[in-house]
Amino acid sequence: MNLFELLFGKPISTINALELNERLKNGKRPIVIDVRQPHEYRTGHLIGAKLIPLNKLSNHMKELPQSREIVCVCASGNRSGSATRMLVEAGYNAVNMKGGMLSWRRANLPVKKGDAA
């Protein structure tokens, strides 16, 4: 283990907005977890994303299947990076969507507003 890994943990896998959009259209759909707060989620989220705020993720991990890929999303990629790290350390196949909803919107990909996923 190098100094970077000691300070920040092992690097996590990432996916960009366009790659995630393609995965959602084709084959095995990953589970998308939005780790923002409810008021942020209501302003716009990925269609089908499940809201689990980062501060509640550890309490809801057992609800998530370890056999499927999980993609974590937040506003910019920072909180979802923390969520991805938590999930990976717990044995899940998790990936961080880099750039978060900012990059998703910049790519003009579909966004759903409101509470329901």
Side-chain angles (χ1 to χ4, degrees):
M1 185 174 286
N2 63 35
L3 179 59
F4 183 81
E5 287 181 7
L6 283 171
L7 293 173
F8 302 105
K10 291 187 177 187
I12 56 172
S13 296
T14 61
I15 186 171
N16 69 40
L18 295 174
E19 291 168 329
L20 176 55
N21 189 50
E22 284 303 310
R23 285 190 194 178
L24 291 171
K25 289 182 196 175
N26 304 315
K28 284 189 171 180
R29 290 177 47 98
I31 296 170
V32 178
I33 303 296
D34 192 315
V35 299
R36 297 176 298 161
Q37 292 300 307
H39 68 277
E40 294 174 287
Y41 181 85
R42 283 190 296 272
T43 66
H45 55 272
L46 276 71
I47 297 168
K50 179 178 175 76
L51 175 64
I52 305 177
L54 180 59
N55 63 337
K56 296 182 180 182
L57 181 60
S58 61
N59 297 331
H60 292 274
M61 276 195 213
K62 291 184 180 176
E63 299 168 14
L64 302 171
Q66 288 190 319
S67 60
R68 285 191 52 201
E69 179 181 50
I70 298 171
V71 177
C72 298
V73 178
C74 69
S76 66
N78 291 324
R79 285 176 284 178
S80 56
S82 297
T84 301
R85 190 166 275 106
M86 284 174 58
L87 289 166
V88 167
E89 288 174 0
Y92 291 85
N93 175 17
V95 178
N96 182 31
M97 188 180 84
K98 61 184 170 186
M101 287 303 295
L102 292 171
S103 67
W104 187 266
R105 288 176 189 263
R106 256 188 245 121
N108 292 315
L109 295 168
V111 173
K112 182 174 182 179
K113 293 186 177 186
D115 288 327

